[in-house]
């Protein structure tokens, strides 16, 4: 089944290998009588900006749920009155203030071992209390570490703060980690961060197909939905066009389904 978006199909001289590969992979799921699940996480929300409004409009147009990772310390309370108008939006906690506390020469990390554990957890508790007050029913008990990095000792302290889920990157090893947190990660980043631009159709679709194929063949957890990661404040026009095409393409395929984060992080089991 071809899932090339119509406008892309007309513009191309021939089939796009990336879109064609995605179509073949989803066809393989359909042939096996299975459904390829996806979820959408967008990071670094702080206010209701034109970029966020655009993201929510695209999501609504395609009837796709989106989980917004919100930075508590910087969050504008007015953001949530706007988000409440959208049926398919969830809020996740994105660290505390998205500040790097790693020494020079070390990869950026906010929730790392470079400060006292009690101080880090106290900040997260403060951020959680703020979001519970201003986000209300939109908030899920899920931590999204800035830069997708969190030290194991910090992660182990999250359940005591009331967190039940954790989302970083790369395929998970199991539904629940050693702390009992439900894991669902991102696997596909739409941005190439060195140039701070859209990563390109070939790279993004390649990452999607690789994760879907690994799930289908039992090389990765088949039940972990493929996580599509965006950053509305950093998307360029090529990135926005891709998001629209990707949601349209997957929306047309009978073997693809986008999941609500509430379902992912509150599994029936």
């Amino acid at each position: 089944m071809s899932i090339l978006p119509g406008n892309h199909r007309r513009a191309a001289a021939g089939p796009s290998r990336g879109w064609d590969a995605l179509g073949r992979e989803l066809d393989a799921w359909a042939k096996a009588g299975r459904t390829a699940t996806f979820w959408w996480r967008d990071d670094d929300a702080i206010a209701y900006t034109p970029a966020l409004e655009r993201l929510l409009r695209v999501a609504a147009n395609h009837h796709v749920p989106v989980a917004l990772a919100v930075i508590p310390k910087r969050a504008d309370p007015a953001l949530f009155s706007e988000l409440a108008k959208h049926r398919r939006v969830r809020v996740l906690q994105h660290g505390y203030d998205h500040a790097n506390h790693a020494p020079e020469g070390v990869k950026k990390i906010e929730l790392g071992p470079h400060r006292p554990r009690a101080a880090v957890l106290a900040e997260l508790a403060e951020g959680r209390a703020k979001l519970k007050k201003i986000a209300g029913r939109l908030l899920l008990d899920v931590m999204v570490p800035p830069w997708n990095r969190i030290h194991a000792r910090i992660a182990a302290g999250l359940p005591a703060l009331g967190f039940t889920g954790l989302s970083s990157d790369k395929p998970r090893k199991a539904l629940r980690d050693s702390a009992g947190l439900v894991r669902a990660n991102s696997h596909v980043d739409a941005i190439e961060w060195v140039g701070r631009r859209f990563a390109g159709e070939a790279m993004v679709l390649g990452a999607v197909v690789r994760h879907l194929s690994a799930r289908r063949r039992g090389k990765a957890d088949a039940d972990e939905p493929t996580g599509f990661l965006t950053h509305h404040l950093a998307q360029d026009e090529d990135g926005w066009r891709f998001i629209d095409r990707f949601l349209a393409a997957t929306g047309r395929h009978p073997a693809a389904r986008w999941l609500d984060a509430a379902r992912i992080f509150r599994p029936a089991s």
Side-chain angles (χ1 to χ4, degrees), residues 85-106:
K85 301 173 184 177
H86 298 267
R87 291 179 50 246
R88 297 179 177 86
V89 175
R90 306 293 180 180
V91 171
L92 316 178
Q93 182 172 334
H94 200 24
Y96 174 63
D97 64 353
H98 210 302
N100 175 34
H101 295 284
E104 187 175 354
V106 176

Side-chain angles (χ1 to χ4, degrees), residues 3-70:
I3 60 170
L4 275 171
N7 58 349
H8 184 87
R9 189 165 55 242
R10 288 192 297 272
S16 163
R17 284 183 293 179
W19 294 106
D20 201 43
L22 176 60
R24 289 195 303 270
E25 179 59 32
L26 291 175
D27 287 347
W29 280 76
K31 185 177 180 180
R34 300 166 65 186
T35 299
T37 50
F38 297 84
W39 79 294
W40 184 5
R41 197 186 92 203
D42 184 89
D43 287 2
D44 299 349
I46 52 176
Y48 196 71
T49 62
L52 181 55
E53 182 180 17
R54 182 175 185 177
L55 178 132
L56 295 174
R57 185 170 62 250
V58 171
N61 287 344
H62 294 285
H63 308 288
V64 171
V66 59
L68 297 178
V70 176

Side-chain angles (χ1 to χ4, degrees), residues 37-42 64-69 87-93 137-144 164-167 172 175 182-185 225-228 257-268:
T37 50
F38 297 84
W39 79 294
W40 184 5
R41 197 186 92 203
D42 184 89
V64 171
V66 59
L68 297 178
R87 291 179 50 246
R88 297 179 177 86
V89 175
R90 306 293 180 180
V91 171
L92 316 178
Q93 182 172 334
R137 62 177 180 79
L138 298 174
L139 181 65
L140 301 182
D141 298 322
V142 178
M143 173 59 61
V144 178
T164 57
L166 176 63
S167 179
R172 70 187 182 194
L175 171 63
V182 174
R183 299 297 299 266
N185 296 332
T226 297
F228 181 52
R257 183 179 181 189
W258 288 86
L259 299 182
D260 188 319
R263 173 177 175 178
I264 295 168
F265 289 99
R266 295 172 186 158

